[in-house]
Amino acid sequence: MNSCKMCGEKENIRKSHIIPRSYFKSIKLNNGQLVKVTVDDTTSVSITNGNPTEFLLCSKCEQFISVEYEKYGTRLFKDSKNTKKTKSYITFNGFKYKQFYLYLISILWRASISSLPEFESVKLPTELNDILRQLLLNKTIKINTSYRLDHFIKISVLRIIDSTKSIDDKLIKSILLNINIDRSSSDKSNLSYYFMIDGFLVIYYMGIESDPHTIRTKKNYGQLRDRDQILIPKEEISNLKQISDAFNMLIEKSKLQFT
């Protein structure tokens, strides 16, 4: 009997998926396995049966996250009923901003409290983890009467494409990049985390601003907004060095391993 990381109750803790399980069904091989590639110069390609899990939440909280957040969040990118595609954007109508925003926060929070090596780069301050936990439980983004969580953690979503066709779009949509920290910024007071699934790149921007007006009004490219319609910009993979490098290394490793 351990304490649930969300509600704090002493319960039988279940193995929790950091990245929602449903994402892995569409990217598994015909034999139900995944190809795992580590983006470095030494680790070889390996075969794995599933996505990382860890004893984190009780059954009640697992169900809570599934019903309140994942049921909507995991279907948004796959549901074509309310979408319109153009050359530059994908439009989603009937968008539920708060629910989707908190869904993405739930993934970041689980990665941050995880002790799995796959998420060792995601370590938020304890105080922030507790704020995220409370907001998720209360289904709100309001920290107090003056500030909301999305004033401090701004989330952008981009659809990654390759107009040159050097990388097939099916491959782009079939790759999952675990949450990583973006180390490209020279501004140490601001940092960002990112992960990629279904061809969509999710970026969490976490900045420290002293001016309240700047906190509320500063916008990032592709940032989610509290509206019932959102435009997800399409972005060339060649414009995103870290993502492009990851794909190139993945392709090279796979060629060496499986040819």
Side-chain angles (χ1 to χ4, degrees), residues 144-204:
N144 53 40
T145 56
S146 300
Y147 293 109
R148 301 171 11 155
L149 182 62
D150 55 358
H151 291 155
F152 302 95
I153 302 180
K154 302 175 188 290
I155 301 178
S156 292
V157 179
L158 310 175
R159 173 61 164 94
I160 304 304
I161 62 170
D162 182 11
S163 297
T164 69
K165 306 299 182 182
S166 298
I167 302 176
D168 191 274
D169 197 59
K170 289 183 178 179
L171 176 60
I172 292 176
K173 294 179 68 175
S174 68
I175 299 301
L176 183 150
L177 297 181
N178 272 334
I179 301 179
N180 284 285
I181 188 170
D182 183 358
R183 303 184 185 279
S184 63
S185 176
S186 58
D187 185 357
K188 300 305 179 183
S189 65
N190 293 273
L191 59 87
S192 59
Y193 294 97
Y194 66 91
F195 79 98
M196 183 171 164
I197 192 70
D198 276 345
F200 291 90
L201 179 67
V202 177
I203 311 166
Y204 303 87

Side-chain angles (χ1 to χ4, degrees), residues 127-138:
E127 296 82 358
L128 179 54
N129 280 330
D130 194 52
I131 290 173
L132 300 186
R133 179 187 66 82
Q134 292 182 51
L135 294 179
L136 287 168
L137 270 175
N138 294 322

Side-chain angles (χ1 to χ4, degrees), residues 12 16 39 54 78 83 85 123-124 130 134 148 150 189 249 255:
N12 289 318
S16 301
V39 184
E54 185 175 359
K78 299 179 181 295
T83 63
K85 298 180 181 179
K123 286 294 174 280
L124 304 178
D130 194 52
Q134 292 182 51
R148 301 171 11 155
D150 55 358
S189 65
M249 186 168 289
K255 286 180 180 178

Side-chain angles (χ1 to χ4, degrees), residues 55-259:
F55 289 103
L56 294 177
L57 307 178
C58 66
S59 298
K60 182 176 68 175
C61 289
E62 277 279 329
Q63 185 68 9
F64 172 80
I65 286 182
S66 175
V67 172
E68 296 296 335
Y69 303 123
E70 290 186 355
K71 186 177 181 180
Y72 175 71
T74 56
R75 292 179 182 176
L76 179 66
F77 294 150
K78 299 179 181 295
D79 187 0
S80 60
K81 293 180 182 178
N82 295 314
T83 63
K84 180 181 178 182
K85 298 180 181 179
T86 68
K87 182 178 180 180
S88 302
Y89 293 94
I90 301 177
T91 303
F92 291 86
N93 295 308
F95 180 59
K96 300 177 182 178
Y97 172 76
K98 184 181 74 171
Q99 193 172 6
F100 190 67
Y101 178 88
L102 286 174
Y103 159 69
L104 295 177
I105 289 295
S106 76
I107 297 175
L108 180 67
W109 174 71
R110 279 174 282 179
S112 180
I113 64 173
S114 172
S115 60
L116 296 174
E118 289 89 342
F119 306 102
E120 62 183 0
S121 65
V122 189
K123 286 294 174 280
L124 304 178
T126 302
E127 296 82 358
L128 179 54
N129 280 330
D130 194 52
I131 290 173
L132 300 186
R133 179 187 66 82
Q134 292 182 51
L135 294 179
L136 287 168
L137 270 175
N138 294 322
K139 297 186 289 185
T140 183
I141 59 177
K142 290 184 178 180
I143 299 174
N144 53 40
T145 56
S146 300
Y147 293 109
R148 301 171 11 155
L149 182 62
D150 55 358
H151 291 155
F152 302 95
I153 302 180
K154 302 175 188 290
I155 301 178
S156 292
V157 179
L158 310 175
R159 173 61 164 94
I160 304 304
I161 62 170
D162 182 11
S163 297
T164 69
K165 306 299 182 182
S166 298
I167 302 176
D168 191 274
D169 197 59
K170 289 183 178 179
L171 176 60
I172 292 176
K173 294 179 68 175
S174 68
I175 299 301
L176 183 150
L177 297 181
N178 272 334
I179 301 179
N180 284 285
I181 188 170
D182 183 358
R183 303 184 185 279
S184 63
S185 176
S186 58
D187 185 357
K188 300 305 179 183
S189 65
N190 293 273
L191 59 87
S192 59
Y193 294 97
Y194 66 91
F195 79 98
M196 183 171 164
I197 192 70
D198 276 345
F200 291 90
L201 179 67
V202 177
I203 311 166
Y204 303 87
Y205 293 98
M206 309 178 70
I208 301 173
E209 304 285 353
S210 57
D211 177 26
H213 179 72
T214 302
I215 289 173
R216 293 187 179 92
T217 59
K218 184 179 178 181
K219 303 297 181 184
N220 297 304
Y221 178 57
Q223 183 174 320
L224 299 178
R225 301 195 181 191
D226 194 353
R227 300 172 180 171
D228 60 7
Q229 182 189 73
I230 57 166
L231 301 178
I232 302 297
K234 295 180 179 180
E235 184 67 20
E236 295 288 344
I237 193 170
S238 57
N239 294 335
L240 302 165
K241 186 178 186 304
Q242 287 181 282
I243 306 301
S244 179
D245 289 348
F247 268 80
N248 290 333
M249 186 168 289
L250 181 152
I251 292 170
E252 288 303 315
K253 281 191 173 187
S254 298
K255 286 180 180 178
L256 292 172
Q257 188 87 4
F258 298 113
T259 59

